[in-house]
Amino acid sequence: MPANKKLLFLPGDGIGPEVMRQVRRVIDWMDRKRKVTFDVTEGLVGGAAIDAHGTPLTDATLADALAADAVMLGAVGGPKWDNPSDYMKRPEAGLLRLRKELGLFANLRPATVFDALVDASTLKPEIIKGLDIMIVRELTGGVYFGEPRGIEDLPNGERRGVNTQVYTTSEIRRVASVAFELARKRSNKVHSMEKANVMESGLLWRQEVTKLHQEQYSDVTLEHMYADNGAMQLLKNPKQFDVIVTDNLFGDILSDEAAMMTGSLGMLPSASLGAADANGNRKALYEPVHGSAPDIAGKDLANPCATLLSFAMALRYSFNLDDDAKTLEKAVQNVLAGGMRTADIMAPGMARCSTTVMGDSILRELDKLSS
Ligand code: IPM
Ligand code: MG
């Protein structure tokens, strides 16, 4: 098979490079065993790019990202770059620029609880066993990008910090339609979350989601919820949810909450997708929900599962390799069921392992599943 699947690797900072190394191994495995070949190039993002080029994302790397079929990103950020004189020189700004320039407005964050990890959650097993939620977070609008923004000096000697929450009709409709489409392939239920009780942008969100639902998706069950109530309901009875659609900031917060219910941030993958072009292809970036975890970076302790599961999402959404995606997901599940645990999900009676050994085990399981 020709190597026409263009994949850009951006390992980034902290544990990013070591978890991404495990994806490389799976890619090599697919090449060898499945004759599925990717054309992989690698670039710098975040603090690594700041150190090399003085900016968290160079124009050249952005051009590579635009030319790729998919981008795999590890993590960005760390204390070394925490004190910038210029806010746009933070590692995170590189990631935000990628999301914006690639038009990745729909961020899919599945929160699933694997049976083997039920006891890793801080919630009671009966509350989370079998949990399978998809959070669809708007990713290129809202307060993350709204203008005006900044910090200004006031004549009275005080300072004022400003950010703007702003959404337009089309921004709301396109992300809501991703949520409705996903719901149709799942349990056919969407909860839309905002703060329509205090924010005009939230009220518009509710009105536009309602309208789109009536026009095109009345077969899907739709419920609206204030985001604070949503945060509470997620802890109280998470299994009432199937797909949740919400704005950029609420989605950031609610997805961390949902992720932790599954036991560890080290388990949760994500896909960020743009609009489909004439051929049905979308710009896409895949990354674990967890951050760069500088405290354990370089120690071979990090959990590579979230990143491997993000690669499974890439196989599914960017490369139409659904069977391979399922095999990889199954391999991760089986290894966990067999008792292998990185430190973040360690439990009594289980076998504690390193990043590399987790990768070894998953590769062995892939061998078994495909033989
Ligand atoms: C996330 C992260 C990012 C965000 C940071 C690193 C900019 O928290 O992807 O959830 O706030 O979107
Ligand atoms: Mg976050």
Side-chain angles (χ1 to χ4, degrees):
M1 200 181 275
N4 53 2
K5 300 181 188 61
K6 281 170 74 90
L7 197 48
L8 175 65
F9 258 51
L10 299 176
D13 309 320
I15 59 171
E18 56 204 282
V19 290
M20 288 281 278
R21 209 166 296 134
Q22 303 310 314
V23 178
R24 274 283 191 164
R25 299 176 72 198
V26 170
I27 286 178
D28 292 344
W29 180 91
M30 288 184 73
D31 192 10
R32 265 195 335 270
K33 296 285 169 81
R34 297 267 304 112
K35 306 283 174 262
V36 177
T37 303
F38 293 88
D39 173 4
V40 184
T41 50
E42 196 158 315
L44 299 175
V45 70
I50 294 175
D51 286 350
H53 304 293
T55 167
L57 181 74
T58 64
D59 292 341
T61 306
L62 176 60
D64 289 344
L66 284 162
D69 295 315
V71 179
M72 279 291 312
L73 187 134
V76 294
K80 182 174 173 197
W81 306 281
D82 261 356
N83 246 333
S85 51
D86 177 353
Y87 203 75
M88 290 304 162
K89 291 255 157 77
R90 290 172 59 87
E92 289 80 359
L95 176 57
L96 295 180
R97 183 167 177 226
L98 268 174
R99 289 173 179 172
K100 189 70 175 178
E101 299 274 347
L102 268 63
L104 309 174
F105 64 87
N107 182 212
L108 278 46
R109 298 192 161 185
T112 36
V113 173
F114 294 155
D115 282 348
L117 290 186
V118 163
D119 292 318
S121 176
T122 49
L123 298 189
K124 296 196 184 91
E126 64 267 28
I127 302 285
I128 49 122
K129 191 169 188 325
L131 185 72
D132 179 7
I133 300 176
M134 178 68 87
I135 296 189
V136 180
R137 167 189 176 192
E138 201 290 326
L139 204 61
T140 52
V143 75
Y144 273 63
F145 297 96
E147 299 280 348
R149 64 184 297 161
I151 300 178
E152 61 188 6
D153 292 312
L154 298 178
N156 67 0
E158 282 207 272
R159 297 201 301 154
R160 199 167 86 112
V162 181
N163 291 93
T164 303
Q165 168 78 338
V166 51
Y167 274 106
T168 60
T169 305
S170 59
E171 285 178 311
I172 298 166
R173 286 176 68 101
R174 65 184 183 177
V175 73
S177 86
V178 169
F180 285 127
E181 296 284 346
L182 281 167
R184 278 183 176 158
K185 295 187 196 133
R186 297 169 46 97
S187 303
N188 217 32
K189 191 160 70 171
V190 171
H191 281 80
S192 171
M193 296 188 187
E194 24 59 12
K195 285 283 288 177
N197 51 348
V198 285
M199 298 162 80
E200 282 81 359
S201 58
L203 182 60
L204 182 78
W205 183 283
R206 187 173 285 222
Q207 290 170 348
E208 292 300 333
V209 172
T210 304
K211 221 163 114 202
L212 178 69
H213 177 248
Q214 282 163 358
E215 288 166 10
Q216 294 176 35
Y217 296 103
S218 53
D219 56 302
V220 181
T221 305
L222 170 66
E223 284 183 43
H224 302 280
M225 220 178 236
Y226 297 137
D228 55 341
N229 182 32
M232 185 272 275
Q233 294 290 339
L234 267 171
L235 290 178
K236 189 179 170 198
N237 177 20
K239 282 188 248 175
Q240 69 186 290
F241 299 110
D242 177 26
V243 176
I244 294 172
V245 62
T246 189
D247 76 19
N248 205 342
L249 183 61
F250 293 139
D252 181 44
I253 296 165
L254 294 171
S255 63
D256 262 32
E257 186 189 356
M260 199 56 217
M261 299 191 314
T262 70
S264 169
L265 270 177
M267 291 303 304
L268 268 283
S270 83
S272 305
L273 307 175
D277 66 15
N279 302 319
N281 299 323
R282 298 169 182 272
K283 293 261 175 293
L285 181 146
Y286 300 87
E287 57 174 322
V289 171
H290 65 68
S292 59
D295 50 322
I296 58 163
K299 297 185 178 156
D300 203 24
L301 287 174
N303 185 348
C305 291
T307 312
L308 289 166
L309 294 170
S310 300
F311 181 60
M313 292 185 91
L315 295 175
R316 175 169 297 127
Y317 293 113
S318 286
F319 300 112
N320 231 334
L321 293 168
D322 203 45
D323 288 345
D324 293 271
K326 283 195 186 123
T327 308
L328 180 52
E329 287 162 351
K330 185 86 187 124
V332 172
Q333 278 182 42
N334 288 358
V335 166
L336 294 170
M340 295 301 266
R341 296 286 188 277
T342 42
D344 58 309
I345 48 175
M346 185 54 195
M350 300 292 142
R352 185 166 161 170
C353 71
S354 64
T355 311
T356 311
V357 170
M358 182 60 95
D360 295 342
S361 314
I362 290 168
L363 288 174
R364 262 201 308 277
E365 194 59 35
L366 282 172
D367 273 337
K368 262 195 239 163
L369 288 171
S370 64
S371 65

